[in-house]
Amino acid sequence: MLQKGMRLARCGSLALLGLAALVGHARAQQACNCVVDGYVTAQGRALPGAAVQVGPATAAADDKGFYRITGLCPGSAWVRSAYTGYHPFARQLVLEAGNTLHLDFALLEEAHQLDEVEVQGRRRPAQTAASATDQITQAQIQAAAGDPLGALLARQPGVSLLRTGPTVVKPVLRGLHSSRILILNAGVRHEGQQWGAEHAPELDPLASGKLTLVRGAATVRYGPEALGGVIIAEPPALPDSAGTSGGITMAGASNNGMGLAGGWLAYAPKAVPGLAIRVQGSLRRAGDSRAPDYVLSNTGLADQNGSYQLGYRRAHWGAQVSYAQFNTRLGILLASHTGSVSDIYQAIRTGRPTEVYPFTYGIQAPYQQVAHELLTARAWRQLSTRTRLEVQVARQFNGRQEYDRVRRTSSLAGRPAMELYLTTYSAEALLRHRFSQHLEGQAGVSAYLGRKGGGFDVGSSRFLLRSLLPDYTTQLAGAFALVEGEAGAYRYEAGARLDARVFDVQPGAWPGFATRRQFVLPSATASVSRRLGQHTELDATVSTSARPPSAAELYSRGLHQGSATIEVGNPALAPERMNAASLGLGYDGHHLRLKASAYVHAFNGYVNLVPDLPPALTVAGVFPVFAYRQQNALFRGLEGEAVWEPGRGWQLGAVAAIVRARDVNRGTWLLQIPADRYRFYLNHTRTQPLGPLHQAFAQAECSWVRRQTRPGDLAADSLDYADAPAGYALVSARVGGTLRLAARLRAQLSLEAQNLLNRRYRDYLDRFRYYADAPGRNFILRLTVPFGV
Amino acid sequence: MFGKNTLLYAACAAALATTACKKEDDHGHDHNEGEVITTITVSLTDSGSTTPRTFVWSDPDGPGGNAPTIDTLRLTANTRANASLKLEDRSVTPAKNITVEIEREENEHQFFFTPTLPGLAIAYDPTDFDTNTPPKPLGLRSFWRTAGPGRGTVRIVLKHQPGIKASIPNTVGDATRGETDIEVVFPVIVQ
């Protein structure tokens, strides 16, 4: 939980709000260098254009609902936010010299019976410096309804996508993915089968109210898997005021006939103030995607997702139970289903899929069937004005079945070729204490227990004998402490963490090796940021993090069907350590906003799959053997975004990300590292209505991905099957706005065109690039109708 | 007003309500029995003889463990032989005959033979075609004809071509389509 010092402010009377003319008490003798920033939302959606006034200064929220007012004088000031159709809100606050105060406004529609408004005031923690984090609001999530989680994140600098065809999409942060990226869902470490490159995150973005992306190591706060970064998904806030609200979201896409219907309903009874419930669900169905020249047969999907939250909140304590279920069936491109290395080379020679059938919604084998469940209960209590305690327990279940094409007469017909069940229990306690105006600390303990049962009975239907992975139990316990504070123009943060992890594997998995492995994993971080003038902030972070080897890295042994390689784990692996340093720059001027980071991640014992000679002779031919080895690796990168706002409602932006990763021992480039990516966009939002359309907007963007040339071509000893594909540029566009259907009923409507020029391309990080082109042009029509009663 | 305990009970009740019906434990440790082709037997019956000679390609522990053992096919120069193939899973007891399954699904399977030895010619047995229209070869039985002495290899590939095999326009099939069930290489000596 990021929210700090969450406070409830009661707005006693509405009359007061009307009076809230803004009076600033400037103290002439102090530098006017205070900053107030935050988000303006209503029912979890951003309110672009909402006015925020602090003393004499004003600002309008941008399209993410974000506002920032700089150059404020210390002292007490009224802060006021207003937007037509919503209750204005005002409160008095005290600005301290040189401080940034983060203040989010949750405005209520005028028709509501208002009785309380939530104000979250917090300082921005130094570690999550602006240069390293991004937020995606509920409005943006709904505006991308139907897109997978990864695609939502990919607009942010430093994020690229590891794909297995159109349906399986994983986010890659600064070149790291899978076991090196943590997903935190509703405050709980997401425990799925994230180790597999063809295992997408088991998460429905529509169930989230906000997504936060933290680039770079965050292991001290979040544990060992947060080595490369964290994706934090938070459920939407429960309603603050009595009443019923809800909405529906619908989307349809032209390329794969995708249809999505989702909805949510929130209710807070008047009789029991503080009690609230929210239910949400979505259904998604898609048929085969189409590349410009052919149908990508068997790339359909079917999702059924649902969640609920039940919360009770008083002034000094609160508790919440939430549950989310995710179910998906993902078709795997028929042409990608190869039985041997020769098949892969044959597909590459052919250049286009050999199995192309007419478009269908049907999904046949091979396909993945995945279910994920998360149940959490959390409670918080304000022990004193300075101390807050939070506790959370959670249970997760993850089930994955992969179906293969088998002979109908085979004993495996109708049964998964591979299945894995993982059940995890976790508990966490977190104590926050404010030592003084300038120093705040938090400390926490966490524990979890995971059990893999069932059996990863890989295999191929045709020729596998063993499980790829044995059954195991794993236990993790950790404790951390973090302090953050301010001194003059500096903000700083420092922390340390210690984790212990134990693996117990079923005996006999690896004869001759211990069935128990234990790891002790210390991590530490320190960061400092400094303001330079009114608009510029510099930050620097150093950290050292340790990650235990994953079960797959330790114990897998057998054929990995997805990549047609034999993978051999290494039960002797030591923890992987990453020493990282990063520098960030943020500039926030009147017409120009800029943020940029440069980083170095030096790995000691980077766990990597490397070729292991000789290749294995099997009944299906010769397979390359890859073994998990530890090497020293060096990742360096740059990423940034610049936004120029030449006039009202206009935005011109550019995003860039560059990663270089070397295997220091072998002196070679690491494989599967994202190519250089750039994105340019032009947005226009009308301030005046356009006919019946309010907040009408038009966006055009071009994303340009260069060819990966490190390594690009197949050398004689290459580990890849084909040269890296050519670079490409894709154009997309979006138009939309808000229709007022009735006094209190609005419809948000948008039309998006992806790959507008219907370009043929293959992406280096798409595992299907050997077999087929990526999907072509796609029009997506989306409609969201929120309502309140 | 709700007390703290009331809420705690409510939370626990909700927790129970959502987990009680879980059924993943049903799966328990019910490991699927993987099915593998561990053993391929080539039986060669020289013309004029009735006694087949058998040659075995065998990998009883499946891919990735111990290397397979492979017999060398020995043929007589300038003769003909009838060959038949047998596929088995010997990782289970009793061994499972997979040849029967391939025969049952003959319309989506085909063997392909690629000799590297000059003069060795392998043709499909015309009585071993499937029931597609027009019929396509299966390849469990074949005719081998040798020329002069020499050494080389024979590659035997079994392709699984569901929905593809019937539509391939030629009469000998297409080894580049479908997915590979078997790809083995036997050394050959013709004396």
Side-chain angles (χ1 to χ4, degrees):
Chain A
M1 270 165 281
L2 280 181
Q3 296 134 359
K4 272 180 207 173
M6 187 172 27
R7 280 176 290 169
L8 274 176
R10 269 194 181 275
C11 251
S13 85
L14 287 176
L16 190 75
L17 293 173
L19 289 174
L22 344 134
V23 191
H25 300 276
R27 288 184 198 163
Q29 70 272 24
Q30 277 183 287
C32 293
N33 58 0
C34 302
V35 177
V36 177
D37 67 10
Y39 288 86
V40 185
T41 57
Q43 292 182 298
R45 295 183 308 279
L47 277 184
V52 179
Q53 230 167 343
V54 182
T58 61
D62 66 12
D63 59 344
K64 296 173 181 173
F66 185 76
Y67 73 93
R68 184 171 165 90
I69 301 176
T70 56
L72 298 168
C73 305
S76 130
W78 277 93
V79 175
R80 178 178 186 272
S81 178
Y83 192 67
T84 317
Y86 294 85
H87 285 290
F89 175 70
R91 66 180 260 116
Q92 200 168 24
L93 49 83
V94 178
L95 298 170
E96 294 164 27
N99 275 354
T100 295
L101 192 71
H102 188 87
L103 193 62
D104 289 343
F105 293 94
L107 298 186
L108 291 174
E109 292 200 56
E110 266 170 358
H112 281 250
Q113 283 304 307
L114 170 101
D115 66 4
E116 62 182 24
V117 169
E118 178 180 331
V119 175
Q120 298 174 7
R122 67 180 158 94
R123 282 147 211 245
R124 191 159 1 117
Q127 191 195 15
T128 52
S131 61
T133 60
D134 279 304
Q135 286 202 338
I136 295 160
T137 62
Q138 193 172 20
Q140 289 170 297
I141 294 168
Q142 283 170 354
D147 285 349
L149 175 72
L152 260 163
L153 301 167
R155 296 171 158 269
Q156 314 303 328
V159 182
S160 39
L161 298 177
L162 182 65
R163 292 176 179 273
T164 305
T167 46
V168 178
V169 181
K170 295 194 80 162
V172 180
L173 269 60
R174 292 180 167 177
L176 300 174
H177 60 84
S178 301
S179 300
R180 296 186 178 93
I181 300 290
L182 180 73
I183 294 173
L184 203 70
N185 188 6
V188 182
R189 297 157 43 93
H190 182 83
E191 287 290 339
Q193 270 90 55
Q194 54 266 62
W195 54 270
E198 72 281 32
H199 303 164
E202 300 92 345
L203 195 72
D204 176 21
L206 284 177
S208 298
K210 187 165 73 174
L211 294 169
T212 307
L213 185 71
V214 182
R215 285 178 286 264
T219 44
V220 169
R221 175 63 189 86
Y222 300 112
E225 275 82 6
L227 191 88
V230 192
I231 295 160
I232 302 166
E234 292 172 67
L238 285 168
D240 310 316
S241 52
T244 306
S245 62
I248 55 163
T249 293
M250 289 192 287
S254 66
N255 182 287
N256 57 358
M258 189 268 291
L260 175 138
W264 72 96
L265 199 62
Y267 171 68
K270 204 164 187 141
V272 191
L275 186 69
I277 186 165
R278 186 180 194 277
V279 293
Q280 174 271 340
S282 72
L283 293 170
R284 186 165 65 129
R285 189 78 205 265
D288 296 333
S289 289
R290 293 180 181 94
D293 298 326
Y294 40 78
V295 172
L296 299 168
S297 285
N298 205 41
T299 53
L301 60 86
D303 282 359
Q304 307 90 35
N305 306 315
S307 66
Y308 73 73
Q309 296 153 259
L310 177 67
Y312 183 66
R313 193 168 64 185
R314 303 309 302 159
H316 297 295
W317 67 277
Q320 187 166 322
V321 175
S322 59
Y323 172 79
Q325 192 178 77
F326 173 90
N327 300 285
T328 189
R329 174 176 291 203
L330 302 164
I332 303 292
L333 181 72
L334 287 178
S336 78
H337 198 247
T338 50
S340 74
V341 174
S342 322
D343 292 0
I344 293 182
Y345 283 116
Q346 183 57 46
I348 292 166
R349 270 196 298 276
T350 311
R352 57 185 289 152
T354 46
E355 289 192 66
V356 175
Y357 303 104
F359 171 87
T360 171
Y361 279 95
I363 299 170
Q364 54 169 299
Y367 67 88
Q368 302 178 355
Q369 177 81 48
V370 183
H372 193 91
E373 257 186 342
L374 169 65
L375 175 70
T376 66
R378 60 173 149 178
W380 61 269
R381 183 174 174 85
Q382 200 73 40
L383 299 175
S384 73
T385 52
R386 297 176 155 213
T387 311
R388 178 186 164 94
L389 177 69
E390 296 172 8
V391 292
Q392 168 154 323
V393 291
R395 176 189 183 280
Q396 283 178 88
F397 166 70
N398 186 290
R400 161 174 291 268
Q401 297 176 322
E402 297 191 1
Y403 290 80
D404 223 338
R405 278 207 278 183
V406 294
R407 287 185 297 280
R408 283 187 299 273
T409 48
S410 154
S411 58
L412 285 171
R415 297 173 65 187
M418 142 179 150
E419 50 188 332
L420 190 151
Y421 301 97
L422 183 66
T423 308
T424 312
Y425 297 89
S426 60
E428 187 176 71
L430 183 68
L431 190 69
R432 291 189 170 123
H433 185 73
R434 197 173 168 84
F435 296 100
S436 74
Q437 289 263 334
H438 302 290
L439 186 65
E440 193 171 310
Q442 52 178 316
V445 289
S446 61
Y448 103 121
L449 172 73
R451 186 177 72 85
K452 172 196 166 282
F456 192 77
D457 297 305
V458 165
S460 155
S461 42
R462 294 183 304 280
F463 41 67
L464 267 203
L465 264 186
R466 278 185 293 270
S467 293
L468 179 57
L469 206 57
D471 286 2
Y472 65 84
T473 305
T474 178
Q475 295 162 67
L476 181 74
F480 78 95
L482 266 174
V483 288
E484 59 188 271
E486 294 168 328
Y490 291 93
R491 282 188 314 200
Y492 56 88
E493 183 178 81
R497 180 183 185 105
L498 191 67
D499 285 290
R501 184 162 202 162
V502 180
F503 274 106
D504 285 301
V505 180
Q506 74 185 49
W510 275 93
F513 279 94
T515 53
R516 164 168 282 206
R517 285 295 312 269
Q518 300 177 39
F519 303 100
V520 176
L521 310 151
S523 301
T525 183
S527 69
V528 63
S529 68
R530 182 178 203 275
R531 265 186 315 281
L532 297 168
Q534 284 195 12
H535 303 295
T536 313
E537 189 163 14
L538 278 173
D539 59 76
T541 303
V542 291
S543 65
T544 177
S545 316
R547 178 183 74 90
S550 70
E553 290 163 347
L554 288 168
Y555 301 114
S556 62
R557 191 172 58 160
L559 185 76
H560 195 173
Q561 190 71 21
S563 52
T565 52
I566 288 179
E567 294 184 2
V568 181
N570 181 351
L573 290 176
E576 164 183 291
R577 179 157 293 281
M578 184 183 93
N579 298 315
S582 67
L583 278 177
L585 166 73
Y587 175 82
D588 199 343
H590 292 298
H591 295 290
L592 183 68
R593 272 183 291 132
L594 198 71
K595 62 179 179 181
S597 322
Y599 59 87
V600 178
H601 294 171
F603 281 92
N604 195 345
Y606 180 78
V607 178
N608 198 14
L609 261 184
V610 297
D612 190 47
L613 296 169
L617 191 56
T618 76
V619 72
V622 176
F623 284 84
V625 176
F626 282 72
Y628 284 100
R629 292 282 156 75
Q630 290 192 290
Q631 303 152 318
N632 292 337
L634 187 66
F635 283 66
R636 289 162 297 158
L638 285 171
E639 71 219 356
E641 178 167 15
V643 187
W644 182 47
E645 294 172 325
R648 232 172 131 71
W650 289 93
Q651 268 191 334
L652 186 64
V655 179
I658 295 168
V659 190
R660 300 282 178 266
R662 295 284 285 179
D663 173 340
V664 177
N665 297 75
R666 289 161 50 101
T668 54
W669 298 105
L670 290 175
L671 286 184
Q672 296 286 335
I673 297 299
D676 299 351
R677 315 171 70 83
Y678 305 91
R679 193 166 69 86
F680 307 96
Y681 59 88
L682 177 65
N683 294 347
H684 178 55
T685 308
R686 276 182 68 96
T687 41
Q688 301 299 316
L690 184 73
L693 217 53
H694 294 253
Q695 293 163 283
F697 65 86
Q699 303 172 345
E701 74 170 57
C702 173
S703 56
W704 175 40
V705 178
R706 296 189 60 186
R707 180 165 184 266
Q708 178 56 280
T709 54
R710 297 175 182 81
D713 299 319
L714 283 176
D717 64 338
S718 176
L719 324 175
D720 207 341
Y721 296 113
D723 291 346
Y728 61 89
L730 298 181
V731 176
S732 60
R734 212 156 75 89
V735 292
T738 304
L739 275 174
R740 299 204 173 181
L741 305 173
R744 275 161 38 203
L745 198 60
R746 279 156 237 222
Q748 291 149 9
L749 203 63
S750 75
L751 178 67
E752 181 177 358
Q754 296 171 342
N755 194 1
L756 187 63
L757 305 180
N758 206 24
R759 197 183 141 119
R760 284 177 207 93
Y761 72 102
R762 298 185 185 202
D763 187 86
Y764 178 65
L765 289 188
D766 187 345
R767 294 165 73 91
F768 284 3
R769 69 182 166 95
Y770 307 126
Y771 314 110
D773 291 338
R777 185 185 295 130
N778 189 15
F779 291 102
I780 307 169
L781 187 64
R782 295 183 175 97
L783 174 73
T784 297
V785 184
F787 59 83
V789 178
Chain B
M1 246 338 128
F2 277 28
K4 208 181 303 177
N5 287 341
T6 319
L7 201 83
L8 205 63
Y9 293 140
C12 291
L16 284 173
T18 51
T19 52
C21 54
K22 273 299 129 270
K23 55 199 175 299
E24 88 280 5
D25 287 340
D26 296 353
H27 296 284
H29 287 252
D30 168 28
H31 283 255
N32 287 346
E33 303 258 324
E35 181 185 282
V36 291
I37 300 169
T38 63
T39 310
I40 298 144
T41 309
V42 182
S43 299
L44 290 170
T45 313
D46 296 327
S47 63
S49 163
T50 51
T51 330
R53 296 179 294 130
T54 57
F55 304 91
V56 176
W57 189 106
S58 175
D59 187 15
D61 67 347
N66 297 319
T69 55
I70 308 166
D71 289 347
T72 299
L73 298 174
R74 292 176 186 277
L75 297 161
T76 315
N78 300 305
T79 58
R80 290 165 184 271
N82 291 343
S84 70
L85 300 176
K86 185 179 179 190
L87 311 182
E88 288 167 290
D89 179 0
R90 290 196 187 163
S91 68
V92 291
T93 320
K96 191 169 164 192
N97 185 347
I98 295 167
T99 322
V100 183
E101 294 181 7
I102 303 291
E103 274 173 333
R104 213 177 293 152
E105 293 195 6
E106 58 184 6
N107 286 1
E108 47 188 56
H109 283 93
Q110 185 172 347
F111 287 91
F112 296 90
F113 301 89
T114 319
T116 61
L117 192 64
L120 176 60
I122 300 174
Y124 291 110
D125 182 338
T127 65
D128 184 29
F129 273 49
D130 63 18
T131 57
N132 282 316
T133 341
K136 297 279 165 58
L138 174 58
L140 277 171
R141 295 192 299 280
S142 53
F143 297 146
W144 297 31
R145 193 188 66 219
T146 60
R151 284 166 178 267
T153 60
V154 174
R155 176 184 300 270
I156 302 176
V157 173
L158 173 61
K159 284 284 182 176
H160 185 205
Q161 301 177 325
I164 306 172
K165 191 181 177 191
S167 63
I168 291 171
N170 62 47
T171 51
V172 293
D174 184 349
T176 67
R177 306 198 49 188
E179 60 199 277
T180 304
D181 276 352
I182 288 177
E183 181 180 329
V184 294
V185 178
F186 282 93
V188 184
I189 296 176
V190 179
Q191 288 164 319

